[in-house]
Structure formats: C-alpha cells, structure tokens
Amino acid sequence: EDQVTQSPEALRLQEGESSSLNCSYTVSGLRGLFWYRQDPGKGPEFLFTLYSAGEEKEKERLKATLTKKESFLHITAPKPEDSATYLCAVQASGGSYIPTFGRGTSLIVHP
Amino acid sequence: GAVVSQHPSRVICKSGTSVKIECRSLDFQATTMFWYRQFPKQSLMLMATSNEGSKATYEQGVEKDKFLINHASLTLSTLTVTSAHPEDSSFYICSAEDQGRRSSYEQYFGPGTRLTVT
C-alpha cells in the first residue's frame, strides 16, 4: 500500500527565515511525486511534479527535490503570502494511477 | 492553461433535499475526473473516480446511491448529493488530469464547493 507522510504538521516561520518541508513516501514504483499549495477554503494549486531521484524544480522562493525515499520543499526567505498548507502526493506506476496524498504541512509566515 | 471550475462555490440546503455540484475542465479534455471530500484541517479524501461514458468507481465506504456521479462529456462531471443530511456538510473538490499532457500526470483541482446542510 502506498504511503505518504509529511512533516512537520505545522510550521511557523519569521519572514525571511528559510526552512524545508519533508514528504516521506513508500510506493511500488514511482510514476510521479506532486507538490500542491492549498489556501483556506480553496482547492489545491499545482506546484511541481518530480519523476526521478535527483530531480529538482524551482519556482520563485520554492525548490522541490526528490530522493528514492523522500522529497523536500525548500522555502527560501519566505514571505507572509507563502502561508498555506502544502500537500504532497505520490502516484504509483501501474495500477489505477490514483494519487495518494499526505496530510499536509500548515505553514504560517509571520511578518 | 489546465483550469478546472466548480459550481456552485457555496450552497446551503435543507436536510432531505438533493444538491448537484458541477465540475468542468475549461481548457482541456478529461476522460477521468476525481471527486474528493475534505474535512477541516484534514487532507483530501478520495470519494470516487469519474469516467466519461461509464460508471464511476467509488472508494470503499462511499455510498454510491447517496453520491451520484455522472460524467456526461469530456469536460463535465457532476456530483449529486441525494437526500442530504447535516453530516454531509463538507468541502467537496474535484480534479482532472489533462489528457493532452499524459506525460506529466499531475491533476488540476477545482476551487471547491462548500456544502452546508441545515
């Protein structure tokens, strides 16, 4: 059974204080690992897809990396508008392709 | 590109009535759409997979007679909550995979529908 564990559950940062969110996963063959951002009362917004270990992707202050067991979402010099819940999901190769989501990390960035 | 809309964004209904939620892919075609339910401060719970032109596949524990799904076209799926009760109050979100980008695999989510049953 595919599993995704995100840590920490909640993270409070001061503006400009860089940090990383973790997504540990177990899957029988990785088709893709996805990061989403979700604001309160809204649907998740797609950020990145990573396909193989060693891959990295960047968007503004966010950088996602991938190993064979985990992914990190690095946030550099965060701003208050980066406050949101960040969701990680994995999709296994073969089978139904239905993604398995983690519980998310709630990030609050204080000005 | 890859925009998914939902309608309505909010709905309040009385117990015992039925509510229909629409999910549309605006700029791409989607053979498959997904319906999720989300409780406060919890992650997404997959309810069912909606397949164009065929019956939906429901996850274990989801009542198919209560949550009716119809995928009428490559851009529209609907979720009807029948005989709604207060415990059905929740945030319902749909998603779709862009068939034109089969090499990328990510799903695109709608903005969600907040259902409140009184």
Side-chain angles (χ1 to χ4, degrees):
Chain A
E1 182 180 335
D2 303 335
Q3 289 190 332
V4 177
T5 303
Q6 291 188 246
S7 62
E9 285 188 20
L11 181 62
R12 292 178 179 269
L13 299 173
Q14 288 296 129
E15 184 171 2
E17 180 187 0
S18 300
S19 187
S20 296
L21 313 183
N22 177 265
C23 172
S24 298
Y25 67 92
T26 55
V27 65
S28 55
L30 182 68
R31 185 177 186 230
L33 183 143
F34 314 96
W35 282 99
Y36 291 88
R37 168 192 170 127
Q38 186 176 23
D39 293 298
K42 297 188 177 180
E45 173 191 347
F46 170 72
L47 293 175
F48 304 109
T49 305
L50 301 168
Y51 300 100
S52 57
E55 190 175 0
E56 299 182 352
K57 288 192 176 175
E58 287 187 69
K59 180 181 179 180
E60 297 180 355
R61 295 177 292 281
L62 300 177
K63 179 180 177 180
T65 62
L66 180 66
T67 72
K68 289 186 177 180
K69 294 182 179 181
E70 58 192 350
S71 176
F72 290 95
L73 184 65
H74 306 277
I75 303 177
T76 303
K79 298 182 178 182
E81 53 262 41
D82 294 322
S83 299
T85 294
Y86 291 85
L87 297 169
C88 172
V90 296
Q91 199 178 61
S93 56
S96 66
Y97 298 152
I98 295 173
T100 299
F101 279 86
R103 289 178 169 270
T105 293
S106 174
L107 172 65
I108 297 176
V109 181
H110 296 285
Chain B
V3 178
V4 176
S5 71
Q6 275 184 249
H7 178 80
S9 58
R10 289 178 173 270
V11 57
I12 301 173
C13 70
K14 292 186 177 180
S15 186
T17 62
S18 295
V19 173
K20 180 184 284 188
I21 302 170
E22 290 187 350
C23 176
R24 294 181 183 272
S25 55
L26 297 185
D27 53 359
F28 66 97
Q29 293 185 331
T31 304
T32 303
M33 292 184 173
F34 302 91
W35 286 97
Y36 294 86
R37 186 173 179 176
Q38 189 174 36
F39 293 101
K41 297 188 178 181
Q42 294 192 24
S43 192
L44 303 168
M45 183 190 82
L46 180 66
M47 298 175 65
T49 303
S50 170
N51 304 295
E52 189 266 337
S54 65
K55 292 183 179 180
T57 303
Y58 290 83
E59 294 299 298
Q60 192 172 10
V62 177
E63 298 177 61
K64 58 182 65 177
D65 294 331
K66 181 167 191 60
F67 299 100
L68 300 178
I69 292 173
N70 182 268
H71 197 143
S73 73
L74 287 173
T75 60
L76 173 64
S77 177
T78 60
L79 168 68
T80 301
V81 183
T82 63
S83 186
H85 292 289
E87 56 265 32
D88 299 323
S89 298
S90 190
F91 191 53
Y92 293 87
I93 313 174
C94 70
S95 72
E97 188 175 313
D98 185 349
Q99 299 305 118
R101 305 186 192 185
R102 290 313 300 267
S103 61
S104 57
Y105 312 144
E106 60 264 12
Q107 293 184 16
Y108 295 91
F109 285 83
T113 297
R114 172 71 60 191
L115 170 63
T116 303
V117 184
T118 61

